[in-house]
Amino acid sequence: MRHTGRVKSLRFRLTISYILIFGLLLTAIGFTFRSRLMTIIQDRVEEAVDEDWSAARGFLKVERGQAIWSVDPREVDRTAFLERLRRFVMVADSHGEVLEMSIGYRQQGVESAAEIMERFKEGSPQLVVKEQGKDRVLLRYGVFRSEGTPYLLVVGRRITDVGGLPTAFMTDYFTVVPLLLLVTGVLGWFMAGRALIPVNRVAEAAQRISGSSLHLRISRRFANDELEQLIVAFNTMMERLSENFEQVRRFSTDVSHELRTPLTAIRGQLEVALMTAEKEDDFREAIVNALEDVDRISNIVRALLLLSQAETGQLALHKDPVNLTEVVAELAEQFRTTAKENGLQLAWQLDHDVYVRGDRTQMDRLVSNLLSNALKYTPSGGHVMVQVRRGEDSETAVLTVADDGKGIPPDSLPHIFDRFYRVPGEDPDKGLGLGLSFVNWIVKAHQGKIDVTSAVGRGTTFTITLPISLSHATDEPAAAVSIPLAEARQ
Ligand code: ATP
Ligand code: MG
């Protein structure tokens, strides 16, 4: 149940992430809107004060040091408008003398004569925010001319409550945000739960598989998403695991079986000798027979050791350019005597100096295993032909070992590379059934390919394709490459 907890915490973390991201986003949006709102309001107020100033300017005249506001009293609207304007107004001349000042303006604080004169110098228009306690007023200074003399007209608007709108907005907004976050959290929780349902299923399936049998697979969803990839990867892994498991199982069964046979034989021979032998020669014969079986056991053990080294990647390959032509020529020469003794014709046809990148010892082992098989399984009077040539693509070297011997039955053909496999009915003294396992491993470890065609009674042909080596120089640094047998066999 441990994994369920983990999945749940993933759900929790996903939900928290949703909430956090959404919360941050909402806060950012809130503040952006607020500042935008404030800019808009500020612009509006500035425009309005500007308009107020121009309007006031239209009504205003200065005659003999007196500010005179002229409006037709019959125009009620304009009169009211002027009334409003005059609530926050100040008129002064260029010497700093105030000609008119409303009460509202006075409360806001009066400029000194020097300050007023400064305004004349700075020119117009100017917008200034004045603050008095909590009160904020936006003032619009501007110089105008009446009868050729410059005067300063200041019109203001109270903006104390202008900030109220953004504040109200923020208050409302941030009251709603927690609610939105709650909704996001709940939705996120359910969404994360839904998204994780297939993960849970996969986890359960995986648990069932690892607990019971290796042949079970997680059923695919065909959704073409990441999870699907995970399932496929998992199934492939299980495939390999069960293959390897099966291989190990078969291997140990085979090993015990293979060792038992000669051991039983030794025991039998020695027991019989003990009970029935009378002469020294009888004992000698029994011992010789037992020794043969002991040899067989040590061969098995030696081969197994080598195979297990290959399997665990301990058998290092020192890859150098190897003259395959030379290897085959030397071995064919060696095998010629055996061939003759068995009444066989061994012939070879070799292209000049075909180099492959490989481990010399393993190349020897490869060729001699194939040659010994061909000679072993071809009855007297038969022919064995070995060929080495460059492939048509000139990137490969092709080695063929062909015989016209007994052939391999189609049923057995897929198994001949398995460890200890021998075609049923084969003479147990002829071999251990390990030679082709080695051949297969060597070929794969050299990135090569192996093909076999066979017809019962007509013969067998093994074709090995290996990557050619372009450089023949042996001074290349010898790279020790090792490939586990299990991998090479796939
Ligand atoms: P080992 O090589 O370990 O001494 P082996 O020759 O029996 O024993 P492999 O070389 O692995 O084992 O071959 C497996 C089996 O494939 C052989 O037992 C034989 O039945 C069959 N086989 C291999 N090569 C030939 C061939 N050229 N013609 C007919 N059968 C063959
Ligand atoms: Mg063999």
Side-chain angles (χ1 to χ4, degrees):
M1 280 298 99
R2 229 167 359 122
H3 71 270
T4 323
R6 240 179 278 145
V7 173
K8 259 190 198 149
S9 92
L10 190 61
R11 184 184 189 180
F12 180 72
R13 272 184 290 164
L14 273 176
T15 313
I16 291 292
S17 312
Y18 285 151
I19 296 177
L20 273 181
I21 292 171
F22 201 53
L24 279 175
L25 213 67
L26 284 179
T27 314
I29 290 174
F31 280 101
T32 315
F33 270 112
R34 193 191 106 133
S35 89
R36 183 84 194 102
L37 200 61
M38 282 174 69
T39 324
I40 291 172
I41 292 172
Q42 178 88 14
D43 287 354
R44 289 280 149 78
V45 174
E46 283 176 6
E47 264 169 38
V49 175
D50 232 27
E51 277 164 19
D52 284 356
W53 192 89
S54 305
R57 163 75 192 93
F59 293 120
L60 186 62
K61 260 192 327 199
V62 181
E63 276 174 14
R64 273 170 270 119
Q66 277 243 293
I68 296 166
W69 304 91
S70 50
V71 67
D72 188 342
R74 280 167 306 177
E75 286 183 49
V76 183
D77 278 359
R78 290 176 68 81
T79 315
F81 177 52
L82 181 62
E83 273 309 302
R84 192 182 65 70
L85 281 182
R86 288 187 62 192
R87 254 182 255 153
F88 220 105
V89 79
M90 192 267 270
V91 184
D93 66 15
S94 55
H95 305 294
E97 191 161 322
V98 176
L99 307 183
E100 172 163 339
M101 182 179 285
S102 63
I103 301 169
Y105 196 98
R106 181 160 294 135
Q107 281 168 351
Q108 202 55 44
V110 188
E111 288 96 340
S112 64
E115 276 170 341
I116 292 174
M117 279 155 74
E118 194 59 31
R119 295 284 173 200
F120 271 95
K121 266 191 228 150
E122 281 170 15
S124 60
Q126 298 153 29
L127 284 164
V128 174
V129 177
K130 264 196 171 177
E131 285 185 51
Q132 180 111 52
K134 272 190 171 179
D135 260 357
R136 292 176 80 231
V137 179
L138 179 66
L139 298 178
R140 199 297 196 182
Y141 292 81
V143 176
F144 73 100
R145 281 177 184 277
S146 185
E147 296 175 333
T149 322
Y151 295 98
L152 181 72
L153 167 64
V154 191
V155 175
R157 255 190 195 221
R158 209 175 285 280
I159 53 167
T160 316
D161 50 356
V162 158
L165 191 59
T167 312
F169 163 75
M170 288 303 264
T171 319
D172 287 356
Y173 184 77
F174 281 104
T175 322
V176 180
V177 164
L179 206 74
L180 284 176
L181 289 185
L182 190 75
V183 175
T184 315
V186 174
L187 277 180
W189 179 257
F190 280 109
M191 270 161 56
R194 268 186 69 88
L196 289 173
I197 286 175
V199 178
N200 274 327
R201 291 219 184 104
V202 171
E204 275 163 24
Q207 211 179 31
R208 239 180 300 130
I209 289 172
S210 53
S212 54
S213 44
L214 287 172
H215 69 268
L216 278 177
R217 300 284 174 270
I218 302 176
S219 46
R220 292 185 55 180
R221 299 154 58 242
F222 298 100
N224 203 13
D225 54 8
E226 291 86 347
L227 204 63
E228 188 68 21
Q229 287 174 14
L230 180 74
I231 294 176
V232 172
F234 183 87
N235 282 346
T236 318
M237 185 191 76
M238 289 309 296
E239 196 81 45
R240 276 207 218 154
L241 261 179
S242 64
E243 254 172 42
N244 284 1
F245 187 75
E246 179 56 26
Q247 217 174 315
V248 170
R249 200 189 56 76
R250 221 176 330 123
F251 186 62
S252 43
T253 321
D254 291 344
V255 170
S256 38
H257 180 78
E258 287 302 311
L259 290 178
R260 208 173 49 203
T261 318
L263 277 174
T264 318
I266 294 172
R267 191 191 165 90
Q269 284 151 10
L270 295 180
E271 269 175 1
V272 169
L274 206 60
M275 285 192 290
T276 62
E278 285 161 5
K279 290 176 279 166
E280 195 191 314
D281 275 357
D282 295 340
F283 281 111
R284 188 176 295 279
E285 198 192 323
I287 290 172
V288 168
N289 284 342
L291 272 179
E292 270 171 19
D293 282 321
V294 169
D295 273 351
R296 189 176 161 80
I297 291 178
S298 26
N299 280 344
I300 294 177
V301 171
R302 200 175 317 120
L304 281 179
L305 192 68
L306 214 59
L307 262 178
S308 88
Q309 279 174 343
E311 189 167 11
T312 51
Q314 289 167 20
L315 201 69
L317 297 180
H318 299 281
K319 288 193 182 171
D320 284 320
V322 174
N323 191 339
L324 189 64
T325 311
E326 207 177 272
V327 171
V328 174
E330 277 173 20
L331 285 167
E333 198 64 57
Q334 281 175 30
F335 274 89
R336 204 163 35 182
T337 333
T338 326
K340 245 191 206 151
E341 281 168 15
N342 295 353
L344 296 169
Q345 262 189 33
L346 172 60
W348 54 91
Q349 207 176 56
L350 314 171
D351 277 3
H352 264 295
D353 293 339
V354 179
Y355 278 83
V356 291
R357 236 181 102 66
D359 185 304
R360 173 73 204 230
T361 319
Q362 303 306 333
M363 284 297 138
D364 275 359
R365 182 172 278 141
L366 168 80
V367 177
S368 57
N369 262 306
L370 290 176
L371 273 177
S372 90
N373 278 357
L375 297 181
K376 256 198 294 193
Y377 302 113
T378 306
S380 169
H383 303 80
V384 175
M385 170 60 123
V386 195
Q387 275 185 316
V388 173
R389 56 188 167 82
R390 282 185 187 80
E392 273 156 27
D393 53 4
S394 71
E395 281 174 13
T396 47
V398 184
L399 163 73
T400 23
V401 180
D403 62 58
D404 54 2
K406 54 162 70 171
I408 304 166
D411 290 354
S412 300
L413 214 50
H415 304 292
I416 53 168
F417 297 108
D418 293 353
R419 270 169 274 182
F420 292 119
Y421 185 83
R422 312 198 65 231
V423 170
E426 205 64 76
D427 178 0
D429 289 338
K430 272 191 173 173
L432 303 171
L434 291 174
L436 286 181
S437 311
F438 268 117
V439 167
N440 188 46
W441 175 76
I442 295 166
V443 171
K444 295 284 152 58
H446 285 82
Q447 287 80 45
K449 225 173 71 185
I450 183 160
D451 281 313
V452 51
T453 52
S454 187
V456 176
R458 277 198 276 152
T460 309
T461 304
F462 283 91
T463 310
I464 315 274
T465 317
L466 292 167
I468 217 160
S469 167
L470 294 174
S471 81
H472 302 167
T474 34
D475 54 6
E476 259 180 71
V481 181
S482 59
I483 296 181
L485 185 65
E487 213 169 280
R489 283 168 65 87
Q490 275 155 27

